[in-house]
């Protein structure tokens, strides 16, 4: 079976469910982490940049398994679909803002924070939003997280940002950056310091099936944050091949940027 399809995603959730993993949204983690007694649990994070319909399919599949996810939406005129955001929220999933403002405003902090507020209000007109997550923008010289060197997201009613508010000493982190699960070395910004230590421990998975196999063998950590980019996942053969080719090109560029 091909990887990065909706079927592969469904198989992953089915096997995590069989292994006794519960799910919490990022917001639930922030508000209740001290009182959660479940031993095995996951946070299903989604960075939605385009192809919102793929995110909706993810949300529907998760709902079938009784899982709730966190969906961070980037707001671009060519791809923003408010009705799909609403449908995902109505399924019980968390809605957050996937902010890219410093990059889109070319490093102008005043314009960036104004854009941040505007886009946050756009999402809040659809669903409650209390969390945010930066867009990596690997081709930009600007790091969107740097916006918080001048401002404070708490002033906007935001309670958390994964790269600031997740304890990755307690949580294992798996991201499909680069359209592979072990692509963190070539990632420009979607990485955490603990990944080097996890690598030494053998906690490295290339494919979704590798993760499923590790779950069956009891080799997966009990607390995991997954990051998915739904536009990379599809059962459509043409779109699947197109994404594969484009991502391979992007990966070569990112490897060059990381080595600079």
């Amino acid at each position: 079976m091909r990887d990065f399809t909706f079927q592969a995603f469904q198989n992953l959730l089915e096997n995590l469910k069989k292994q006794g993993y519960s799910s919490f949204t990022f917001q639930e983690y922030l508000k209740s982490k001290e009182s959660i007694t479940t031993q095995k649990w996951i946070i299903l994070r989604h960075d939605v940049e385009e192809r919102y319909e793929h995110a909706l399919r993810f949300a529907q599949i998760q709902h079938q398994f009784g899982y709730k996810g966190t969906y961070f939406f980037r707001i671009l005129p060519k791809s923003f679909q408010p009705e799909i955001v609403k449908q995902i929220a109505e399924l019980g999933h968390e809605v957050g803002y996937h902010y890219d403002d410093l990059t889109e405003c070319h490093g102008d902090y005043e314009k960036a924070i104004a854009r941040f507020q505007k886009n946050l209000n756009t999402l809040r007109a659809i669903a409650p939003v209390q969390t945010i997550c930066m867009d990596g923008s690997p081709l930009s010289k600007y790091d969107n997280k740097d916006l918080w060197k001048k401002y404070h997201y708490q002033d906007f009613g935001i309670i958390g940002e994964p790269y600031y508010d997740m304890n990755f000493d307690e949580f294992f982190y798996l991201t499909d950056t680069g359209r592979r699960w072990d692509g963190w070395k070539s990632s420009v910004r979607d990485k955490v310091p603990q990944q080097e230590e996890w690598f030494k421990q053998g906690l490295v998975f290339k494919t979704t099936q590798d993760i499923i196999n590790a779950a069956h063998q009891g080799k997966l950590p009990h607390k995991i944050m997954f990051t998915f980019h739904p536009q990379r996942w599809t059962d459509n053969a043409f779109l699947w091949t197109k994404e594969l080719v484009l991502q391979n090109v992007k990966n070569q560029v990112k490897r060059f940027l990381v080595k600079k």
Side-chain angles (χ1 to χ4, degrees), residues 97-101 116 132-135 144-145 148 161:
Y97 177 35
H98 194 38
Y99 65 97
D100 57 357
D101 306 284
F116 175 87
I132 58 173
C133 182
M134 67 93 184
D135 175 68
N144 288 303
K145 296 194 304 299
W148 312 123
E161 210 278 13

Side-chain angles (χ1 to χ4, degrees), residues 193-234:
Q194 292 85 349
Q195 281 164 318
E196 288 285 357
E197 183 59 34
W198 296 332
F199 180 79
K200 294 175 184 177
Q201 296 173 17
L203 290 171
V204 182
F205 311 102
K206 183 175 182 180
T207 68
T208 304
Q209 188 59 51
D210 290 341
I211 301 172
I212 292 172
N213 293 342
H216 280 295
Q217 296 164 8
K219 294 181 179 179
L220 274 186
H222 284 187
K223 295 181 182 179
I224 310 169
M225 172 182 268
F226 286 89
T227 292
F228 302 93
H229 295 78
Q231 73 264 21
R232 294 183 182 142
W233 299 69
T234 180

Side-chain angles (χ1 to χ4, degrees), residues 67-90:
Y67 278 155
K68 290 185 290 184
T70 297
Y71 288 78
F72 292 110
F73 292 95
R74 189 178 179 190
I75 300 181
L76 297 172
K78 65 178 182 179
S79 56
F80 185 54
Q81 298 186 52
E83 185 55 40
I84 288 184
V85 177
K86 181 181 178 182
Q87 290 180 61
I88 289 174
E90 288 175 345

Side-chain angles (χ1 to χ4, degrees), residues 11-179:
N11 288 351
L12 174 64
L13 295 192
E14 182 178 3
N15 282 277
L16 289 172
K17 194 77 173 181
K18 287 179 179 178
Q19 298 304 315
Y21 284 90
S22 301
S23 75
F24 292 88
T25 65
F26 181 49
Q27 178 178 301
E28 288 173 336
Y29 160 77
L30 293 172
K31 291 183 174 181
S32 308
K33 55 187 174 183
E34 302 301 330
S35 60
I36 295 174
T37 58
T38 306
Q39 288 191 342
K40 298 172 72 173
W41 51 290
I42 52 178
I43 295 174
L44 300 171
R45 166 187 146 193
H46 311 76
D47 292 351
V48 185
E49 298 157 357
E50 56 182 331
R51 299 196 187 281
Y52 275 41
E53 64 277 8
H54 292 200
L56 178 58
R57 184 72 186 112
F58 264 47
Q60 291 167 338
I61 293 171
Q62 287 167 352
H63 187 68
Q64 293 172 5
F65 288 100
Y67 278 155
K68 290 185 290 184
T70 297
Y71 288 78
F72 292 110
F73 292 95
R74 189 178 179 190
I75 300 181
L76 297 172
K78 65 178 182 179
S79 56
F80 185 54
Q81 298 186 52
E83 185 55 40
I84 288 184
V85 177
K86 181 181 178 182
Q87 290 180 61
I88 289 174
E90 288 175 345
L91 287 171
H93 302 294
E94 177 188 4
V95 171
Y97 177 35
H98 194 38
Y99 65 97
D100 57 357
D101 306 284
L102 199 58
T103 292
E104 290 297 309
C105 294
H106 308 289
D108 187 318
Y109 279 77
E110 290 187 8
K111 288 182 179 179
I113 201 64
R115 185 178 183 274
F116 175 87
Q117 179 73 81
K118 178 183 177 182
N119 285 343
L120 189 61
N121 289 341
T122 296
L123 279 175
R124 282 177 169 166
I126 304 169
V129 176
Q130 289 188 286
T131 60
I132 58 173
C133 182
M134 67 93 184
D135 175 68
S137 304
L139 301 184
S140 172
K141 66 179 180 180
Y142 300 107
D143 185 337
N144 288 303
K145 296 194 304 299
D146 287 346
L147 188 62
W148 312 123
K149 292 181 177 180
K150 185 172 182 179
Y151 303 101
H152 304 283
Y153 51 77
Q154 295 86 350
D155 294 339
F156 298 88
I158 297 301
I159 64 172
E161 210 278 13
Y163 295 98
Y164 287 110
D165 300 297
M166 279 292 299
N167 184 352
F168 289 106
D169 288 329
E170 294 183 358
F171 266 81
F172 183 49
Y173 182 48
L174 279 171
T175 173
D176 68 0
T177 292
R179 202 175 178 274

Side-chain angles (χ1 to χ4, degrees), residues 1-10 233-235 240:
M1 184 183 69
R2 289 182 302 172
D3 204 352
F4 292 95
T5 62
F6 295 134
Q7 185 60 57
F9 177 68
Q10 183 169 320
W233 299 69
T234 180
D235 290 336
W240 188 91

